[in-house]
Amino acid sequence: MKTQLVQTYKPLQHYSLKQVQSLAVLSMNMNELENKISSIAEENPVLEILPTYYTRYNQLLDENIATSEPTLTDELLSQCNTSKFEHKEVARYLIQCLDSNGYLTTPLPTLRKECHVSMDILKKSLTYIQTLSPKGVGARDMQECLEIQCRLIKTKHHDLLMKTLHYLPDLAKGHFQKVAQLCDANEANVRKCFELIKTCNPKPGASYAQGATPLIPDIEVTLEDDQLLIQIHDITQSLQLNKDFDTSFDKEAANYIKQQTKLVKQLLNSIQRRNTTLYEVCRIIIEIQKDYFIDNAPLKVMTYQQIAELVNRHTSTVFRCIQNKALVFNNQTILLSTLFTNEVNDGVSDDTIKKELKRVIQNEDKKSPLSDEQLCSHFRELHIQVSRRTLAKYRKQLRIPNSMQRKVIF
């Protein structure tokens, strides 16, 4: 066989420093852009920030604090404030001490010294917190977290269920026969208990917002006369070039100011291009999802590729433009990425399935909630084919507990 060398040409795209900066600015949300501008202003004497810049930024920040998603602390304090528990102040203090997963990792003796109450009151307050939702909060470790949730599970093997919690490492490794011997129980029943344990959430607080600086929306959408209007928050209006430099007697200083002026102009141009691209993309998104905003209808199928074709941009440009950015509509902050939906089957979007899933669960019998398999059957009756695993994923995204945890015992 004869070996042959073939020369081929493959075009490679190289970005200039100006293009790299433009792409970086396009990817930034309002929070990141503010940090970028503040950082440059500290080093570059040419960039001047007007007082209106900070006034407007703080106004947007204050407005969005009220519309941001509740944190685990917010949720627990809300329940505590409306309860009749006698030691609310202590309970509030302990709630503030929980970590992002909902665990109390600080030892009680240490907390007792800090809040100056008896150990008895401290324990009563912790026990009270462990009754709040989501179930499992207030635990000192994962085993206690699972114990709190397993106590609420109704099963004829309840005693065995609580025993098996002491052998979690063995259960995780599949050593069911060993656990059965240690608990003096039937291996099949141990397996059933393990399946029940897997329905519990070992990190009950993880799905809540973590209390970071609220995401400031880049876009404001308003409804006027059945028309959706889009406004981009343009912070360049509060930025300007500082021209109060006399460099006529210093050539080196003149060159420095000239270079810094060039950098500031590039930054302002990058921000303007970012805003123009963001407006073009959002205009198409709002047009496609108009019914969602006006009538609260399910989101239509919409992909990045589809938007890229409509605005005549590359898909990666649309992705950079959308990620980690939000709009505000009717005092509600909405991530732009959540407005994109995939087609599940026959033109049905995942948002349509989520809305129906939420509706069915809200109207179910609370004493006998629907399992994921029963929910799948419901969608099959609607001629929508969706797997149990996919449905479970949507349920978790909606922060809806499984059927065991939704069950209400009267």
Side-chain angles (χ1 to χ4, degrees):
M1 183 177 180
K2 188 176 180 181
T3 304
Q4 185 174 11
L5 290 176
V6 179
Q7 187 175 16
T8 60
Y9 295 92
K10 185 177 181 181
L12 296 175
Q13 186 172 10
H14 297 280
Y15 293 106
S16 65
L17 289 176
K18 184 178 178 180
Q19 289 174 312
V20 170
Q21 183 189 57
S22 183
L23 289 173
V25 170
L26 178 62
S27 301
M28 294 177 185
N29 56 37
M30 279 288 287
N31 303 59
E32 295 164 338
L33 197 55
E34 193 280 333
N35 290 335
K36 174 78 171 178
I37 291 170
S38 297
S39 176
I40 291 177
E42 289 178 1
E43 302 174 356
N44 192 324
V46 178
L47 178 59
E48 183 176 355
I49 300 179
L50 302 178
T52 54
Y53 172 84
Y54 292 108
T55 302
R56 180 54 179 154
Y57 179 79
N58 290 330
Q59 180 185 354
L60 291 170
L61 186 61
D62 291 340
E63 288 174 355
N64 203 53
I65 287 175
T67 59
S68 57
E69 290 188 11
T71 63
L72 175 65
T73 301
D74 295 332
E75 177 66 29
L76 296 177
L77 287 177
S78 175
Q79 297 176 53
C80 179
N81 292 337
T82 56
S83 73
K84 296 181 179 180
F85 182 64
E86 57 181 331
H87 304 297
K88 284 186 181 180
E89 288 301 321
V90 181
R92 291 191 191 102
Y93 175 77
L94 291 180
I95 288 171
Q96 298 283 356
C97 293
L98 301 180
D99 67 13
S100 59
N101 291 323
Y103 287 5
L104 184 67
T105 55
T106 307
L108 288 182
T110 302
L111 295 172
R112 179 178 175 275
K113 292 178 182 179
E114 292 176 355
C115 59
H116 307 291
V117 296
S118 68
M119 184 62 74
D120 182 57
I121 291 177
L122 205 59
K123 289 181 178 179
K124 283 182 179 178
S125 300
L126 180 58
T127 301
Y128 162 71
I129 291 172
Q130 292 176 350
T131 66
L132 302 178
S133 293
K135 301 303 179 186
V137 294
R140 268 68 64 87
D141 52 39
M142 186 177 72
Q143 181 171 323
E144 185 179 21
C145 177
L146 297 176
E147 284 177 356
I148 293 169
Q149 297 175 64
C150 284
R151 289 193 200 107
L152 303 174
I153 296 177
K154 291 191 70 176
T155 172
K156 61 182 180 180
H157 304 298
H158 194 271
D159 290 341
L160 177 60
L161 175 62
M162 301 308 293
K163 284 182 182 179
T164 56
L165 286 171
H166 296 284
Y167 306 102
L168 290 176
D170 289 315
L171 291 173
K173 295 175 182 176
H175 299 163
F176 301 112
Q177 187 175 3
K178 176 183 176 182
V179 176
Q181 291 174 350
L182 292 170
C183 296
D184 192 23
N186 183 283
E187 183 181 338
N189 291 336
V190 169
R191 289 177 180 272
K192 290 178 182 178
C193 289
F194 183 52
E195 291 302 315
L196 292 174
I197 292 172
K198 288 196 294 184
T199 65
C200 300
N201 185 356
K203 297 180 180 180
S207 61
Y208 286 81
Q210 299 304 313
T213 302
L215 179 64
I216 298 177
D218 282 88
I219 311 103
E220 183 175 356
V221 179
T222 55
L223 180 62
E224 293 183 15
D225 300 325
D226 292 332
Q227 293 293 320
L228 290 168
L229 306 179
I230 304 170
Q231 180 182 356
I232 302 292
H233 293 148
D234 185 8
I235 57 179
T236 59
Q237 296 176 1
S238 299
L239 303 174
Q240 66 180 22
L241 295 175
N242 185 355
K243 300 179 180 179
D244 297 332
F245 294 103
D246 184 6
T247 59
S248 57
F249 300 102
D250 191 332
K251 185 175 181 180
E252 185 177 345
N255 289 333
Y256 173 76
I257 295 301
K258 182 179 179 180
Q259 180 64 27
Q260 296 304 309
T261 300
K262 181 180 178 181
L263 293 175
V264 171
K265 286 182 177 180
Q266 287 179 355
L267 173 66
L268 295 179
N269 288 336
S270 294
I271 296 175
Q272 289 288 4
R273 284 194 293 270
R274 166 194 181 274
N275 292 346
T276 300
T277 304
L278 187 57
Y279 179 83
E280 291 175 357
V281 171
C282 286
R283 182 178 61 81
I284 299 298
I285 291 175
I286 299 301
E287 185 178 324
I288 293 175
Q289 304 295 9
K290 181 178 180 180
D291 293 340
Y292 170 80
F293 288 96
I294 298 178
D295 302 320
N296 197 30
L299 289 170
K300 294 180 180 178
V301 174
M302 185 177 72
T303 64
Y304 289 106
Q305 179 66 38
Q306 178 185 355
I307 298 300
E309 292 174 356
L310 291 172
V311 297
N312 196 26
R313 304 272 181 150
H314 195 274
T315 307
S316 63
T317 301
V318 174
F319 184 82
R320 285 190 180 97
C321 182
I322 293 300
Q323 287 307 297
N324 299 320
K325 297 184 183 68
L327 63 79
V328 62
F329 176 72
N330 282 347
N331 295 321
Q332 181 184 5
T333 300
I334 304 171
L335 279 173
L336 293 178
S337 58
T338 63
L339 298 174
F340 287 78
T341 60
N342 295 317
E343 181 178 1
V344 178
N345 60 0
D346 297 329
V348 179
S349 69
D350 50 9
D351 184 69
T352 301
I353 294 176
K354 288 178 182 179
K355 283 185 179 294
E356 176 63 13
L357 177 63
K358 190 174 182 179
R359 185 194 69 79
V360 172
I361 291 178
Q362 284 176 341
N363 296 317
E364 70 183 358
D365 182 358
K366 305 306 178 186
K367 293 182 181 179
S368 180
L370 299 170
S371 66
D372 289 343
E373 188 57 48
Q374 289 172 316
L375 291 169
C376 280
S377 298
H378 169 77
F379 281 99
R380 282 196 290 271
E381 291 175 2
L382 298 177
H383 304 290
I384 299 175
Q385 299 298 322
V386 56
S387 69
R388 186 186 62 80
R389 179 175 294 181
T390 300
L391 211 58
K393 180 183 75 173
Y394 291 162
R395 176 174 55 72
K396 290 176 182 177
Q397 289 174 351
L398 293 168
R399 293 181 180 171
I400 298 175
N402 58 45
S403 58
M404 288 283 189
Q405 295 169 324
R406 297 200 307 271
K407 191 169 187 177
V408 176
I409 303 172
F410 292 93

